[in-house]
Amino acid sequence: MIKTKFNYDYYLRKNTLPHIWCPGCGDGIILKALLRAIHKCGYSKDEVVITSGIGCASRLPGYVDFNTIHTTHGRALTFAIGIKMYKPKLKVITISGDGDALAIGGNHFIHAARRNIDMTLIVFNNYTYGMTGGQYSPTQPLDSFATTTPFGSIEPPFDVCNLAQAAGATWVGRSTSYHAVQLEKFMVDALTHTGFSVLDVITNCHISYGRRNKMKSPVEMIKYQKEKAIPARSAENMSPEELTGRFKTGVLFETKDNPEFCSEYHKKLELLKTK
């Protein structure tokens, strides 16, 4: 069987290249996985809308040939919700960094999850505000270093997946930019789920985060992802001490029982027309 090469060029706006990401950044791996996942799902370019806020990850929509919108910091989900409400048949995807999604946009994150609106949020989680100088973010590991935590962070980090599930998201998963094949598979799962799906992708910023945390090269950060990732099934047999400093990967939560927001909204509209 002859395996054909995936045609990334078909989905790229080549006139916007070269990209601004640093050499070795994991964002390119995530971008390519997303293109393969969209292709595998069979969506046309016109069916897909990608929104983003501000940050390194948020530059992705500029490079891809779909309906895209680059919005303000932390507000990508609000624009996405508006688009989805007006055109419910569109496949709406939001790209966000950990600071964009959980700090500036934290309020929107929990309410999008609570509503269970049929969209996918992909969090590029590199533990830092890479674009603006390496300030600490809400997912930065305890005791690790940033420009604004030069003596080590004393704040417990958010677990993106636990937060998403607790707030009401109905599909929650995690992978890394090291696990590129798995990442593509989880993206397909998230995109085809009906309801609010959140995929946390641990990725590397060796420039702003790694250099301050003894991982100054992309290779060291990729090794970190490989060594710290624990498949959720394996984690079930591990003690809390064994899991310290590690993170679970896999589809961590999924339910199809909760009503989806757009569907409920339009049902209500039809009901009101009868009164």
Side-chain angles (χ1 to χ4, degrees):
M1 178 178 173
I2 299 174
K3 199 169 184 178
T4 56
K5 190 176 178 182
F6 186 83
N7 184 10
Y8 294 102
D9 287 355
Y10 174 71
Y11 292 103
L12 293 175
R13 291 179 178 137
K14 296 182 74 174
N15 63 328
T16 64
L17 299 174
H19 59 72
I20 66 159
W21 294 324
C22 301
C25 175
D27 288 2
I29 297 172
I30 307 172
L31 181 152
K32 294 178 81 173
L34 178 62
L35 296 183
R36 295 194 303 272
I38 289 172
H39 181 81
K40 192 168 282 186
C41 290
Y43 303 131
S44 71
K45 290 182 180 180
D46 288 340
E47 289 177 295
V48 175
V49 178
I50 301 181
T51 73
S52 70
I54 298 296
C56 295
S58 295
R59 296 306 297 262
L60 184 149
Y63 304 134
V64 293
D65 191 17
F66 301 103
N67 303 292
T68 61
I69 179 168
H70 188 195
T71 73
T72 49
H73 212 344
R75 313 300 179 221
L77 280 173
T78 64
F79 285 84
I81 290 170
I83 293 166
K84 186 66 181 179
M85 291 299 297
Y86 187 65
K87 294 280 188 181
K89 291 184 178 178
L90 292 174
K91 174 53 61 180
V92 180
I93 304 164
T94 294
I95 302 298
S96 195
D98 39 290
D100 190 59
L102 299 178
I104 297 101
N107 195 37
H108 306 305
F109 178 97
I110 59 174
H111 290 292
R114 177 176 64 87
R115 293 180 178 120
N116 191 34
I117 190 163
D118 186 24
M119 306 188 312
T120 296
L121 169 65
I122 300 175
V123 181
F124 289 41
N125 187 357
N126 61 9
Y127 307 148
T128 189
Y129 285 87
M131 179 176 279
T132 54
Q135 298 88 349
Y136 90 103
S137 91
T139 62
Q140 181 183 321
L142 197 64
D143 293 327
S144 63
F145 300 94
T147 54
T148 47
T149 56
F151 304 108
S153 174
I154 59 171
E155 296 186 12
F158 269 141
D159 182 308
V160 175
C161 294
N162 287 346
L163 181 62
Q165 181 180 346
T170 50
W171 189 100
V172 179
R174 180 184 289 120
S175 186
T176 79
S177 52
Y178 167 76
H179 299 86
V181 175
Q182 178 197 69
L183 180 59
E184 175 190 336
K185 179 181 181 303
F186 289 173
M187 284 180 175
V188 171
D189 287 354
L191 292 173
T192 54
H193 174 78
T194 301
F196 191 61
S197 53
V198 178
L199 179 59
D200 180 28
V201 186
I202 307 296
T203 187
N204 58 295
C205 180
H206 48 283
I207 302 296
S208 293
Y209 179 81
R211 285 178 177 176
R212 294 179 176 86
N213 291 279
K214 299 180 179 178
M215 294 179 286
K216 60 184 179 182
S217 75
V219 173
E220 288 170 293
M221 291 218 70
I222 288 286
K223 281 184 177 176
Y224 165 87
Q225 295 170 27
K226 179 183 178 183
E227 293 167 0
K228 298 299 182 184
I230 297 292
R233 287 185 180 177
S234 301
E236 291 174 0
N237 301 316
M238 297 174 66
S239 67
E241 291 76 20
E242 290 174 312
L243 290 172
T244 299
R246 311 187 80 167
F247 51 84
K248 299 177 189 175
T249 56
V251 177
L252 304 179
F253 178 74
E254 182 176 16
T255 180
K256 298 178 180 177
D257 296 336
N258 298 0
E260 190 277 323
F261 184 77
C262 291
S263 174
E264 294 301 302
Y265 179 83
H266 288 285
K267 279 183 194 172
K268 180 66 75 176
L269 284 182
E270 292 304 313
L271 180 64
L272 290 172
K273 288 177 184 176
T274 65
K275 293 186 177 180

